[in-house]
Amino acid sequence: MMKLLYCRWVLLLLLPSFAMADFFWAAVLAKESGLREQRMLSATKLDNLAPMVTKAWKEGYAITDISHSPRRWTMILSKGTGVKRQLYIHRRIMGEFQEVVNYYHGKGYTLVNVENGVGAWVGVFEKDGKAEHTELVVVRDTEALKKQIKKHRDKGVLLIDVEAAEGYWVAVFARKAPFKVQDYALVEDRETMEQTIAKHWKEGYSLQSLEYGNNLWFALFCKLDNPRKETYIVSDKYVKFRRLINKYWEEGYRITDLAEGRN
């Protein structure tokens, strides 16, 4: 009986490791991004981040990305964005999330980032940022997403963020953005994703963001007036992931995008 109880106890301790065994973290980093000091804030619950974010706002930081991984919400806060006012909201139901987005758009805020985690949809809004006049588009499959990207591109409206979760593809488009030329790729495996990034770098594109969801990599590229040196990290070990980020921070790189997913 004691042996059985011991085995159950060991299994309970190992369950989190098993659950995260196929999980990975990714980050895009760049030099000459305009971002200065950065902080990476983490908490098990989104609400627990609020006091830390409020303190960082008072010190001149702004949220530049947010992500969720097992048992952890993470926010990147940066100086050098030029953003004067910022807020974020979260809702569990997509319909309610869309209503809140419309409400803040009506108040003159710009939606710049969308993230999903543990059943919550999170939106980051700001004023006086580099993107203006944004629109939230929600579709159910990749073909519909491709059609929306083409439809907006034909009107000169560019993509600034993508999130895949709960069977949705969520896209944020902007009429004004700090670039004019874009491209994107949807690929199934990491090797193809790496080849696609290398190809676009050779063609003068910057890696705007990475996303993984619905068993697909979504890589978004853009051409900037001033090209910058870029790299990215993909790791299935969080400790290694943070160590690499610290290393690149010391070398002058700044995080421009976070991603996560399961293989």
Side-chain angles (χ1 to χ4, degrees):
M1 183 65 178
M2 289 296 295
K3 185 177 181 180
L4 180 61
L5 288 173
Y6 174 78
C7 289
R8 287 179 177 174
W9 176 73
V10 170
L11 282 172
L12 285 171
L13 288 176
L14 291 176
L15 273 174
S17 298
F18 291 153
M20 292 175 61
D22 59 349
F23 198 89
F24 62 84
W25 292 264
V28 180
L29 303 101
K31 286 187 175 181
E32 299 90 33
S33 66
L35 302 176
R36 300 197 301 271
E37 301 98 303
Q38 285 192 320
R39 290 182 183 175
M40 180 180 280
L41 305 180
S42 297
T44 54
K45 294 182 179 180
L46 187 60
D47 289 342
N48 292 346
L49 281 171
M52 292 184 282
V53 174
T54 299
K55 181 176 182 292
W57 276 337
K58 292 177 180 178
E59 295 172 357
Y61 289 85
I63 300 169
T64 47
D65 207 1
I66 179 172
S67 71
H68 181 266
S69 56
R71 305 189 301 277
R72 182 183 291 108
W73 283 96
T74 300
M75 281 190 184
I76 301 298
L77 290 105
S78 310
K79 287 187 176 183
T81 64
V83 175
K84 297 293 189 297
R85 189 179 301 176
Q86 205 174 45
L87 61 86
Y88 64 95
I89 57 94
H90 53 93
R91 295 290 187 275
R92 289 197 170 274
I93 300 171
M94 174 53 76
E96 293 180 359
F97 180 73
Q98 289 172 296
E99 288 178 4
V100 177
V101 169
N102 291 335
Y103 172 80
Y104 281 107
H105 275 164
K107 294 290 184 180
Y109 281 89
T110 299
L111 176 67
V112 293
N113 187 248
V114 175
E115 177 66 18
N116 180 276
V118 288
W121 289 96
V122 184
V124 180
F125 298 82
E126 63 188 28
K127 288 187 176 181
D128 304 310
K130 294 179 179 178
E132 295 179 12
H133 308 297
T134 52
E135 175 190 358
L136 177 70
V137 173
V138 181
V139 295
R140 282 291 190 178
D141 57 66
T142 53
E143 290 306 312
L145 176 65
K146 291 176 183 178
K147 289 178 181 177
Q148 285 293 333
I149 293 173
K150 183 180 185 306
K151 172 186 171 183
H152 285 78
R153 181 184 290 173
D154 290 345
K155 296 178 181 178
V157 181
L158 299 170
L159 186 61
I160 62 168
D161 193 36
V162 173
E163 174 71 1
E166 298 183 4
Y168 294 105
W169 281 98
V170 178
V172 182
F173 294 92
R175 293 190 179 277
K176 181 181 177 182
F179 43 82
K180 295 179 180 178
V181 179
Q182 272 191 317
D183 195 15
Y184 73 93
L186 277 159
V187 299
E188 293 184 356
D189 60 89
R190 179 173 166 182
E191 182 179 356
T192 306
M193 180 269 290
E194 291 173 345
Q195 293 170 352
T196 301
I197 292 172
K199 175 178 177 290
H200 279 78
W201 275 343
K202 287 181 181 179
E203 295 173 355
Y205 283 91
S206 288
L207 178 56
Q208 186 178 331
S209 64
L210 279 176
E211 177 62 31
Y212 187 87
N214 301 331
N215 300 315
L216 289 170
W217 283 97
F218 184 98
L220 184 59
F221 305 92
C222 66
K223 286 193 175 181
L224 302 171
D225 291 337
N226 299 308
R228 60 196 187 187
K229 188 174 182 180
E230 295 179 326
T231 189
Y232 60 92
I233 303 165
V234 180
S235 177
D236 59 359
K237 301 289 190 299
Y238 186 73
V239 173
K240 179 182 177 182
F241 179 68
R242 285 302 304 267
R243 187 170 65 246
L244 286 170
I245 285 175
N246 289 336
K247 171 181 175 290
Y248 280 114
W249 271 346
E250 290 174 0
E251 294 177 6
Y253 286 85
R254 295 295 177 260
I255 297 169
T256 55
D257 189 61
L258 289 178
E260 67 289 314
R262 291 186 183 278
N263 293 315

